[in-house]
Coordinates of all heavy atoms in Angstrom, one line a residue:
L14 N -7.7 -28.4 33.3 CA -8.1 -28.5 34.7 C -8.5 -30.0 35.1 O -9.1 -30.6 34.4 CB -9.2 -27.6 34.9 CG -9.9 -27.4 36.2 CD1 -8.9 -26.8 37.1 CD2 -11.1 -26.6 36.2
S17 N -11.6 -32.9 40.6 CA -11.6 -33.8 41.7 C -13.1 -34.5 41.9 O -14.0 -33.8 41.7 CB -11.3 -33.2 43.0 OG -9.9 -32.6 42.9
A25 N -8.8 -41.6 54.2 CA -7.8 -41.3 55.2 C -8.5 -41.2 56.5 O -9.6 -40.8 56.7 CB -7.0 -40.0 54.9
R28 N -7.1 -37.1 62.5 CA -7.2 -37.0 63.9 C -7.3 -35.5 64.2 O -6.3 -34.7 63.8 CB -5.9 -37.6 64.5 CG -5.8 -39.1 64.4 CD -4.5 -39.7 64.9 NE -4.5 -41.1 64.6 CZ -3.4 -41.8 64.7 NH1 -2.2 -41.2 65.0 NH2 -3.4 -43.0 64.4
D31 N -7.8 -31.2 69.7 CA -8.0 -29.8 70.3 C -7.4 -29.6 71.4 O -6.7 -30.5 72.0 CB -9.8 -30.0 70.4 CG -10.3 -28.5 70.6 OD1 -9.5 -27.5 70.7 OD2 -11.6 -28.5 70.6
L33 N -6.1 -29.7 75.2 CA -6.2 -30.7 76.2 C -7.1 -30.5 77.4 O -7.6 -31.3 78.0 CB -4.8 -31.2 76.7 CG -4.7 -32.2 77.5 CD1 -5.3 -33.5 77.1 CD2 -3.1 -32.5 78.0
A36 N -9.9 -25.4 80.7 CA -9.6 -24.2 81.4 C -8.3 -23.6 81.0 O -7.4 -24.3 80.7 CB -9.7 -24.4 82.9
E38 N -6.2 -22.0 82.9 CA -5.3 -22.4 83.9 C -5.7 -23.7 84.6 O -6.5 -23.6 85.6 CB -5.1 -21.2 84.9 CG -4.5 -20.1 84.3 CD -4.4 -18.8 85.3 OE1 -4.1 -19.2 86.5 OE2 -4.7 -17.8 84.9
A41 N -5.4 -24.3 88.5 CA -5.9 -23.1 89.4 C -6.5 -23.7 90.6 O -6.5 -23.2 91.7 CB -6.7 -22.1 88.7
T42 N -7.3 -24.8 90.4 CA -8.1 -25.3 91.5 C -7.3 -26.4 92.3 O -7.8 -27.0 93.3 CB -9.4 -26.0 91.0 OG1 -9.1 -27.1 90.1 CG2 -10.2 -24.9 90.3
S48 N -10.0 -30.7 84.7 CA -10.2 -29.7 83.6 C -9.8 -30.4 82.2 O -9.6 -29.7 81.3 CB -9.2 -28.5 83.8 OG -9.6 -27.7 84.9
I49 N -9.6 -31.8 82.3 CA -9.2 -32.4 80.9 C -10.3 -32.4 80.1 O -11.5 -32.6 80.4 CB -8.8 -33.9 81.3 CG1 -7.3 -33.8 82.1 CG2 -8.6 -34.6 80.0 CD1 -6.8 -35.2 82.4
L54 N -9.7 -35.2 71.3 CA -9.2 -36.0 70.2 C -10.5 -36.4 69.5 O -11.4 -37.1 70.1 CB -8.4 -37.0 70.5 CG -8.0 -38.0 69.2 CD1 -7.5 -37.3 68.1 CD2 -7.1 -39.2 69.7
V57 N -11.9 -39.0 62.6 CA -12.9 -39.1 61.6 C -12.3 -39.7 60.4 O -11.0 -39.8 60.2 CB -13.5 -37.8 61.2 CG1 -14.2 -37.2 62.3 CG2 -12.4 -36.7 60.7
T58 N -13.1 -40.2 59.4 CA -12.7 -40.6 58.0 C -13.0 -39.7 57.1 O -14.2 -39.0 57.2 CB -13.3 -42.0 57.7 OG1 -13.1 -43.0 58.8 CG2 -12.8 -42.4 56.5
A59 N -12.2 -39.3 56.2 CA -12.3 -38.3 55.2 C -11.8 -38.8 53.8 O -11.1 -39.7 53.7 CB -11.7 -37.1 55.5
L65 N -2.4 -36.1 47.5 CA -1.9 -36.3 48.9 C -1.4 -37.8 49.2 O -0.7 -38.0 50.1 CB -3.0 -36.1 49.9 CG -3.2 -34.5 50.2 CD1 -4.5 -34.4 51.0 CD2 -2.0 -33.8 50.7
E67 N 1.2 -38.7 47.7 CA 2.7 -38.4 47.6 C 3.0 -37.5 48.7 O 4.2 -37.0 48.7 CB 3.0 -37.7 46.2 CG 2.5 -38.5 45.0 CD 3.1 -39.9 44.9 OE1 4.3 -40.0 45.2 OE2 2.4 -40.9 44.6
E77 N -8.5 -27.3 53.8 CA -9.5 -26.2 53.6 C -10.5 -26.1 54.8 O -11.2 -27.0 55.1 CB -10.2 -26.3 52.4 CG -10.9 -25.0 51.9 CD -11.5 -25.1 50.6 OE1 -11.0 -25.9 49.7 OE2 -12.5 -24.4 50.3
R78 N -10.4 -24.9 55.5 CA -11.3 -24.5 56.5 C -11.0 -25.3 58.0 O -11.9 -25.1 58.9 CB -12.7 -24.6 56.2 CG -13.2 -23.7 55.1 CD -14.6 -23.8 54.8 NE -14.9 -23.0 53.6 CZ -15.3 -23.7 52.4 NH1 -15.5 -25.0 52.5 NH2 -15.6 -23.0 51.5
L79 N -10.2 -26.3 57.9 CA -9.8 -27.0 59.2 C -8.6 -26.7 59.8 O -8.6 -26.9 61.0 CB -9.8 -28.6 58.7 CG -11.2 -29.1 58.4 CD1 -11.1 -30.5 57.8 CD2 -12.3 -28.9 59.5
T89 N 0.6 -45.8 56.3 CA 1.1 -46.8 55.3 C 0.7 -46.3 54.0 O 0.0 -45.3 53.8 CB 0.7 -48.1 55.5 OG1 -0.8 -48.1 55.3 CG2 0.9 -48.6 57.0
A90 N 1.2 -47.0 52.8 CA 0.8 -46.7 51.5 C -0.7 -46.8 51.3 O -1.4 -46.2 50.5 CB 1.6 -47.4 50.5
K92 N -2.9 -46.9 54.0 CA -3.9 -46.1 54.9 C -3.1 -45.0 55.4 O -2.0 -45.0 56.2 CB -4.1 -47.1 56.2 CG -4.9 -46.4 57.3 CD -5.2 -47.2 58.5 CE -6.0 -46.4 59.4 NZ -6.2 -46.9 60.7
N96 N -2.7 -35.9 61.2 CA -2.9 -35.2 62.5 C -3.0 -33.7 62.3 O -2.1 -33.1 61.6 CB -1.7 -35.4 63.3 CG -1.5 -36.9 63.8 OD1 -2.4 -37.6 63.9 ND2 -0.2 -37.3 63.7
L101 N -7.5 -23.2 62.5 CA -7.6 -21.9 61.8 C -8.3 -20.9 62.6 O -8.2 -19.8 62.3 CB -8.3 -22.0 60.5 CG -7.6 -22.9 59.4 CD1 -8.4 -23.0 58.1 CD2 -6.1 -22.4 59.2
W105 N -9.7 -20.1 72.1 CA -9.5 -19.5 73.5 C -10.0 -18.1 73.6 O -10.6 -17.7 74.6 CB -8.1 -19.5 74.0 CG -7.6 -20.9 74.4 CD1 -6.7 -21.7 73.9 CD2 -8.1 -21.5 75.5 NE1 -6.5 -22.9 74.6 CE2 -7.4 -22.8 75.7 CE3 -9.0 -21.3 76.6 CZ2 -7.5 -23.7 76.6 CZ3 -9.2 -22.2 77.6 CH2 -8.6 -23.3 77.6
K107 N -12.5 -16.9 71.9 CA -14.0 -17.0 71.9 C -14.5 -17.4 73.4 O -15.5 -16.9 73.9 CB -14.4 -18.0 70.9 CG -16.0 -18.0 70.8 CD -16.4 -19.3 69.9 CE -16.0 -19.1 68.5 NZ -16.6 -20.1 67.7
K110 N -14.3 -14.6 75.9 CA -15.3 -13.4 75.8 C -16.6 -13.9 76.5 O -17.5 -13.1 76.8 CB -15.7 -13.3 74.4 CG -14.6 -12.4 73.7 CD -14.8 -12.2 72.3 CE -13.7 -11.4 71.6 NZ -13.9 -11.2 70.2

Side-chain angles (χ1 to χ4, degrees):
L14 178 67
S17 294
R28 297 174 182 167
D31 200 351
L33 182 57
E38 295 180 39
T42 64
S48 296
I49 291 179
L54 173 60
V57 297
T58 301
L65 286 175
E67 304 299 319
E77 198 170 327
R78 297 185 192 107
L79 292 176
T89 66
K92 182 183 180 192
N96 297 321
L101 295 180
W105 279 115
K107 187 189 293 185
K110 288 181 182 178

